[in-house]
Amino acid sequence: MVELVLGIALILLGSYGVLGAQPFVHWAARLWPHPRHGAEVGNLVATNFIIRFISLLVFAAGVALVANYFV
């Protein structure tokens, strides 16, 4: 039962990370103290990719826990 609850929580957290990463990156860009050009923009794009990729891994872990519970 614990893995079902944990799996659902990971699915929700991963979904929020995949779908909600863009506003976080825009918020970080507004707080960035330097002009955004060249390397700084590349860093923000990389940060967006990393957040979405890790969130996708969290989502997959949640799906695996839920699938393991029902199998």
Side-chain angles (χ1 to χ4, degrees):
M1 184 67 176
V2 173
E3 64 185 11
L4 179 64
V5 173
L6 184 62
I8 292 172
L10 288 176
I11 288 172
L12 292 174
L13 183 66
S15 297
Y16 178 72
V18 169
L19 300 175
Q22 197 68 28
F24 172 75
V25 173
H26 284 294
W27 172 76
R30 283 195 308 267
L31 294 178
W32 202 262
H34 305 290
R36 293 183 308 262
H37 57 77
E40 287 90 6
V41 173
N43 287 340
L44 292 173
V45 170
T47 302
N48 189 20
F49 172 76
I50 290 170
I51 291 171
R52 286 183 180 216
F53 183 74
I54 291 174
S55 297
L56 190 59
L57 291 176
V58 169
F59 180 83
V63 169
L65 281 174
V66 171
N68 190 33
Y69 178 78
F70 288 115
V71 170

